[in-house]
Amino acid sequence: MTYRYLTDAHAEAVLQSTYPQATQLPALSELLGSDLRWDQPARTLVFMAECWIEGTGYGQRLHTCAARNINSDKDLAVEFSRAARKGDPELVAAAADEVLTMVAEGVSAADNAAAEVAIGAMLHGGLTESPSRKPMFTALRTQWSARTPAS
């Protein structure tokens, strides 16, 4: 995970030059009220949020996260969870689906069955039950169960 604080013009230039194939994640962007993009070839989440930069004024915080680390990205989990508490259930489900797609891209496994086990374990382990993360992981588990056939 990396963070950069840039003026609006510099943020857009960095985004276009570093992540030229990044496409917007519409549901996640709407839910979080920020510009979130997914660069599939780089397997990187790009999160741009307006922020105050001391000495500059308002600008953009450009936050990137590799797909393999999405489940541990605190900013994403906290913001998603905060928005999910009050968000439209359909929008939350669509945003969770976008996150799951990125999570799946970050899993290295021998085959699909192993990948499903790894993703299932990730959705139930670690900090998934902490109050600041639980709403996101609850939404992810719900969408995951809808994606995977019952055993």
Side-chain angles (χ1 to χ4, degrees):
M1 289 169 255
T2 63
Y3 299 88
R4 294 176 73 180
Y5 295 87
L6 306 159
T7 63
D8 290 338
H10 285 115
E12 192 60 37
V14 167
L15 178 66
Q16 293 303 319
S17 66
T18 310
Y19 302 101
Q21 296 183 44
T23 56
Q24 187 172 40
L25 298 164
L28 198 54
S29 293
E30 185 178 339
L31 182 68
L32 274 57
S34 295
D35 184 9
L36 285 98
R37 301 180 191 198
W38 173 241
D39 189 323
Q40 198 280 328
R43 292 187 174 161
T44 301
L45 169 66
V46 181
F47 189 152
M48 289 187 21
E50 186 174 65
C51 69
W52 179 258
I53 303 170
E54 193 65 38
T56 302
Y58 282 100
Q60 295 290 323
R61 176 177 55 106
L62 181 66
H63 166 135
T64 59
C65 181
R68 69 182 177 279
N69 295 324
I70 289 194
N71 63 307
S72 60
D73 188 308
K74 182 180 177 187
D75 290 339
L76 176 63
V78 170
E79 292 299 318
F80 187 110
S81 294
R82 183 178 299 136
R85 286 183 180 101
K86 297 177 185 172
D88 172 53
E90 288 182 16
L91 180 59
V92 172
D97 220 31
E98 291 174 347
V99 172
L100 281 174
T101 297
M102 293 183 289
V103 166
E105 288 282 332
V107 172
S108 295
D111 56 31
N112 287 341
E116 287 181 15
V117 169
I119 292 169
M122 180 275 301
L123 293 176
H124 291 89
L127 296 171
T128 62
E129 295 304 312
S130 76
S132 64
R133 297 170 185 253
K134 188 172 183 172
M136 180 176 100
F137 282 94
T138 299
L140 293 177
R141 286 190 295 264
T142 300
Q143 285 305 110
W144 183 247
S145 67
R147 279 187 179 192
T148 56
S151 303

